[in-house]
Amino acid sequence: MIKRLSLASRLALLFAACTAVVSLIAGVLFNHASEAHFIELDQQQLDSQLVALRSTLQGVDSPVTFARREAQLRAELNRQPELRLRITAAGQRWLDDAPGESLPDAPGLHSLQNAGTDYRVYNAPLKPGQPDSPQLTLMLDITHHQHFLQRMQHLIWLTVGLSALATALLGAWAARSGLRPLRRMGEVAASVSAHSLTQRLPQQHMPVELAELAQSFNAMLGRLDDAFQRLSAFSADIAHELRTPLSNLLTQTQVILTQPRPLEDYREALHSNLEELQWMAQLVNDMLYLAKADHGLLMPKREPLALADEVDALLEFFALLAEDAQVSLIREGTAHTQGDRGMLRRALSNLLDNALRFTPAGGEVRVRMTDGVRLTVENTGEGIPPELLPKLFDRFYRADPARHEGSSEHAGLGLAITQSIVRAHGGRIFCESGAGLTRFVIELPKGD
């Protein structure tokens, strides 16, 4: 199996490739610029030679007159050893110092190689503007130019290779140094376990590009730590809640079986056990309900609801209990929303049950509604300390320090279930307490 490249190696190779491409493009552009510059110089030199030749051959229009100027012309050519000349007129060659037979005959500047020598060929008439003018073919030896360009091309390739190699090495070092915070993150992640969720990355030493990632990583560790602590506390609470009823069941069953007893005693023991089992079954059902809420499996139906009608029905249900406790039940306002009737009734029932339990005789429980939709359940009585308010919706939490172990009525799950129902409907719930008044506030999306 081919080993995958590390991120540092990939960055180093990327740096090297980018440097090589940039160096190559720069070298090619420089090479083209140099070649164009030499062509321009050759053109200037040939133009000056052409002016000199036209001056020397001024008045020449036949082989006879050319023969009179040939000596002077050759003397001029001898002073220019890199220059070759061919003169043709009416298909005849008056002078031919050019190497090779086949030369470009089109006007203008051309390049030619012959016997390993590079030439710049320039065709022009001796007498511009005359159709029958003799034609001059000037050949300039540019071998030294070509050698220079070849050396420069070799230098370009060498520079590209060396710069790519140097960049790869420096890029590997820079990438390794720059990725040190990532390796630190990997070390922290590798050391995370159920017993070391308190470790955090030092954000102040992180580069700007990794600071946000470090912050997200620390936030994730914080959520994991919080979830693990809640899960540990949850498991301990379940064990605590189930220990007492299980102990009661075992003890009562063992006692009833120690000796033969009348049928009525067995019947009474079974009824007692049935109550404990029913409470345990309800506790398990509530826990399954909360587990579904945690995994987003609570899917409330969406039907138009008049909350005033639902609250009136619940107040009628609690009327006898309120009468016995000498507590007044009051409903104010109306509101409409889209939601699940059964789930919302369960949430409101939990709030009303809590309010009745903690309202002293002569007090009142008041339900207010506005078409915001905002619904409050408030009761008079002793308030809740501010430090306890954030814990009210925790599972198995009771504001009363006496836990009432094994109580089949209040396991401390009512408010947690209420919060899950409200959140499933896209709303939120919170508690306010002070000045002899406790208020639970539910905010829900407004119905059509």
Side-chain angles (χ1 to χ4, degrees):
M1 181 180 294
I2 300 177
K3 185 178 179 180
R4 290 188 295 178
L5 291 175
S6 65
L7 185 57
S9 299
R10 294 181 184 183
L11 289 175
L13 291 176
L14 182 61
F15 292 154
C18 291
T19 303
V21 170
V22 172
S23 300
L24 181 60
I25 293 176
V28 170
L29 292 176
F30 182 74
N31 182 65
H32 280 262
S34 300
E35 187 174 356
H37 177 67
F38 283 128
I39 292 175
E40 183 179 358
L41 292 179
D42 294 340
Q43 179 73 62
Q44 292 175 357
Q45 184 176 356
L46 288 170
D47 285 339
S48 63
Q49 293 295 333
L50 179 61
V51 171
L53 291 173
R54 283 174 174 171
S55 176
T56 302
L57 297 174
Q58 186 176 9
V60 173
D61 54 3
S62 67
V64 175
T65 55
F66 174 75
R68 298 172 185 169
R69 302 282 182 90
E70 183 175 0
Q72 182 181 355
L73 177 62
R74 290 191 178 277
E76 180 72 24
L77 292 176
N78 288 335
R79 290 195 292 270
Q80 305 289 337
E82 74 278 5
L83 186 66
R84 300 287 185 271
L85 177 64
R86 174 181 291 178
I87 303 175
T88 59
Q92 296 180 354
R93 294 182 182 177
W94 294 357
L95 179 68
D96 190 2
D97 287 341
E101 290 294 327
S102 179
L103 296 178
D105 54 2
L109 194 67
H110 307 277
S111 296
L112 175 69
Q113 187 177 57
N114 181 49
T117 303
D118 295 301
Y119 295 95
R120 200 81 72 192
V121 180
Y122 189 38
N123 293 316
L126 176 60
K127 300 176 180 180
Q130 296 183 12
D132 57 349
S133 170
Q135 296 295 315
L136 302 180
T137 300
L138 288 77
M139 296 183 65
L140 182 65
D141 187 348
I142 59 170
T143 303
H144 60 290
H145 292 174
Q146 298 303 104
H147 288 171
F148 173 80
L149 290 175
Q150 290 175 0
R151 288 195 301 271
M152 189 175 65
Q153 289 175 353
H154 294 160
L155 181 61
I156 289 173
W157 285 111
L158 180 61
T159 302
V160 169
L162 292 178
S163 61
L165 177 61
T167 306
L169 295 177
L170 293 175
W173 172 81
R176 185 172 180 81
S177 300
L179 293 177
R180 189 175 294 114
L182 282 180
R183 290 196 297 274
R184 173 59 181 158
M185 293 178 71
E187 293 171 358
V188 173
S191 65
V192 169
S193 67
H195 305 289
S196 61
L197 290 173
T198 57
Q199 287 192 347
R200 298 293 184 271
L201 289 174
Q203 298 181 33
Q204 62 274 17
H205 299 304
M206 289 288 177
V208 176
E209 294 79 4
L210 295 179
E212 185 175 352
L213 179 60
Q215 183 178 1
S216 300
F217 187 80
N218 289 339
M220 179 193 69
L221 289 178
R223 291 192 298 271
L224 288 175
D225 188 24
D226 180 67
F228 183 78
Q229 296 298 332
R230 290 170 63 88
L231 181 61
S232 299
F234 184 46
S235 301
D237 285 334
I238 290 179
H240 183 87
E241 294 294 334
L242 294 178
R243 181 180 60 185
T244 299
L246 286 173
S247 178
N248 292 341
L249 287 172
L250 287 172
T251 300
Q252 188 163 339
T253 303
Q254 289 171 349
V255 169
I256 204 69
L257 292 177
T258 55
Q259 60 185 4
R261 299 180 183 276
L263 182 60
E264 189 62 29
D265 290 347
Y266 289 113
R267 186 184 299 275
E268 183 179 349
L270 288 175
H271 275 295
S272 178
N273 289 350
L274 179 61
E275 291 180 1
E276 297 289 353
L277 290 171
Q278 287 175 336
W279 179 83
M280 293 173 64
Q282 182 61 42
L283 177 64
V284 171
N285 288 334
D286 289 344
M287 294 310 306
L288 289 175
Y289 193 87
L290 290 172
K292 289 175 62 178
D294 287 344
H295 290 83
L297 300 178
L298 286 186
M299 305 298 294
K301 295 183 294 183
R302 299 292 179 177
E303 55 181 322
L305 294 178
L307 291 180
D309 295 340
E310 306 303 326
V311 172
D312 287 343
L314 289 173
L315 293 181
E316 184 178 353
F317 175 80
F318 283 102
L320 291 178
L321 182 61
E323 185 178 349
D324 291 341
Q326 301 178 15
V327 174
S328 301
L329 297 178
I330 304 171
R331 190 264 296 173
E332 295 179 355
T334 60
H336 297 79
T337 189
Q338 296 272 349
D340 189 297
R341 175 177 281 103
M343 294 173 66
L344 288 177
R345 279 197 174 191
R346 182 174 185 179
L348 293 173
S349 177
N350 289 338
L351 294 179
L352 289 172
D353 179 64
N354 271 351
L356 285 173
R357 284 193 294 114
F358 292 102
T359 302
E364 66 177 26
V365 174
R366 188 180 299 270
V367 181
R368 303 176 188 268
M369 285 171 284
T370 58
D371 234 344
V373 173
R374 179 184 173 99
L375 185 147
T376 63
V377 178
E378 58 185 40
N379 64 281
T380 57
E382 186 177 353
I384 302 174
E387 65 273 11
L388 299 183
L389 291 178
K391 304 177 183 179
L392 290 180
F393 298 97
D394 292 347
R395 299 169 187 181
F396 297 112
Y397 179 76
R398 298 182 179 92
D400 187 354
R403 292 185 60 88
H404 306 293
E405 296 182 5
S407 170
S408 59
E409 291 186 58
H410 311 295
L413 294 177
L415 291 179
I417 291 175
T418 299
Q419 184 183 57
S420 298
I421 292 173
V422 172
R423 287 179 175 175
H425 282 78
R428 71 183 188 114
I429 182 173
F430 57 92
C431 180
E432 302 170 344
S433 185
L437 193 69
T438 298
R439 179 184 299 111
F440 284 87
V441 182
I442 296 177
E443 294 178 349
L444 293 172
K446 187 176 180 179
D448 295 334

